[in-house]
Amino acid sequence: MTARTDVGAARPLSGRVIVVTRARSQAGRFGALLEEAGARVLAVPTIAIEPPASWAPLDAALAAAGSYHWLIFTSANGVAMVRRRLGEAGRGAEALGGPRVVAIGPATAEALRRWGLGPELVPDEYVAEGLVARLRDLVRPGERVLLPRAAETRDLLVRELAAMGASVDEVAAYRTRPAMEGAAELMAALEAGGVDVVTFTSSSTVRHFAALFAAGQLVRLMASVLVACIGPVTAATAAEHGLRVAIAPEEYTIPALARAIAAHYSAAHAPAPLPGRPGAPGGPDPLASGQHADRHAGDERN
């Protein structure tokens, strides 16, 4: 049974309006899962994925890939950017032969497999802490680790690998920047009481979402809106901005987040959408201006 079928079997999200803050290039699968379950999706990308400020560090690291003992990918974005950069040089996954390949979670692992590069290790918990726990007994002092990932990322993984005695080369494979697309439609929908859930799939989406609001406006407009976060790191960032997280999956993946939202509204205690409210059956459509998620584009991130 596929994740799509699990979420969409009973359409528990009918009449619900759910905001997706992922980058537009990544939002397709998540939006499609929510829509299959009956939701109206308001796409408000708060981040955009871009190449790093310079390709030179990544190019140099990839040219020396064979000298590393470990190659760790912490997102499907990292896989996509490394694949893109090698492809532009006329090279493929074979250029990464030699190091033991690690993926932080199933989405990253799937991105690697689609490229023909099966990961040797995927931790049970899809966060840096889980990865550290799996690597602690495997990484030897003096071993070299290549970590191609987003610029301005948490340094926990680098710090812990260094504590194991490894030599870590952390290179920027991409960067995120704030995005403002759909902000006007979001504000109008929130002011009208037409949003049921706002979803966050990374700490960056939380920070850039919060930056859209004036002082005091965020708490007021989000008072009756549920917040759904993909994992504990994202939830902690939401809490730092005064957002109370109501929905969080046990598995830190996009399908699991969609299932958790559907399960929340399948529960007996969840109130039905108010008749005539924006987004409810028969009510005005707050998404009429066309900010629906692009269901055909993008991939998944842990």
Side-chain angles (χ1 to χ4, degrees):
M1 180 176 289
T2 66
R4 290 175 64 87
T5 304
D6 289 344
V7 171
R11 296 181 66 79
L13 300 182
S14 294
R16 308 295 181 179
V17 175
I18 299 180
V19 174
V20 173
T21 59
R22 303 196 86 192
R24 179 165 291 280
S25 62
Q26 298 178 307
R29 185 182 183 192
F30 190 24
L33 287 171
L34 295 171
E35 289 180 344
E36 186 183 3
R40 301 298 306 275
V41 173
L42 176 57
V44 185
T46 60
I47 63 171
I49 307 298
E50 293 185 336
S54 169
W55 286 114
L58 180 63
D59 288 346
L62 295 178
S67 66
Y68 289 92
H69 298 84
W70 298 90
L71 174 57
I72 300 176
F73 289 96
T74 58
S75 74
N77 287 327
V79 177
M81 286 305 216
V82 167
R83 182 176 182 175
R84 166 184 164 176
R85 195 57 183 163
L86 286 174
E88 289 173 351
R91 306 166 68 195
E94 72 282 354
L96 302 179
R100 303 171 72 176
V101 178
V102 177
I104 197 169
T108 305
E110 178 58 27
L112 287 167
R113 293 189 187 99
R114 288 198 300 267
W115 191 21
L117 196 66
E120 181 175 328
L121 186 152
V122 181
D124 296 328
E125 189 180 11
Y126 313 143
V127 292
E129 289 82 351
L131 195 53
V132 167
R134 287 294 305 274
L135 291 172
R136 195 176 301 283
D137 296 329
L138 298 173
V139 174
R140 305 301 179 203
E143 290 188 335
R144 301 188 68 209
V145 178
L146 175 57
L147 188 55
R149 61 178 184 173
E152 302 176 353
T153 306
R154 285 198 308 157
D155 64 357
L156 182 144
L157 187 55
V158 173
R159 188 171 63 247
E160 293 294 333
L161 286 167
M164 298 174 199
S167 173
V168 183
D169 286 337
E170 179 189 20
V171 293
Y174 65 95
R175 59 181 175 175
T176 62
R177 64 166 175 79
M180 300 289 288
E181 187 179 354
E185 289 80 3
L186 169 68
M187 295 299 178
L190 287 172
E191 290 283 4
V195 174
D196 293 284
V197 182
V198 174
T199 64
F200 298 110
T201 52
S202 70
S203 290
S204 294
T205 61
V206 177
R207 287 192 291 269
H208 297 317
F209 177 86
L212 297 174
F213 298 83
Q217 190 182 34
L218 176 64
V219 172
R220 177 178 66 82
L221 291 179
M222 291 291 290
S224 60
V225 178
L226 298 183
V227 173
C229 290
I230 195 169
V233 176
T234 304
T237 305
E240 291 172 3
H241 288 82
L243 299 174
R244 186 173 61 84
V245 178
I247 301 172
E250 294 185 1
E251 181 182 274
Y252 314 146
T253 66
I254 290 299
L257 180 58
R259 288 194 296 270
I261 296 169
H264 176 87
Y265 284 109
S266 296
H269 61 76
L274 297 175
R277 80 182 274 290
D285 184 358
L287 311 186
S289 58
Q291 288 296 325
H292 300 278
D294 178 0
R295 68 180 67 191
H296 303 295
D299 60 4
E300 175 187 359
R301 185 182 181 199
N302 297 293

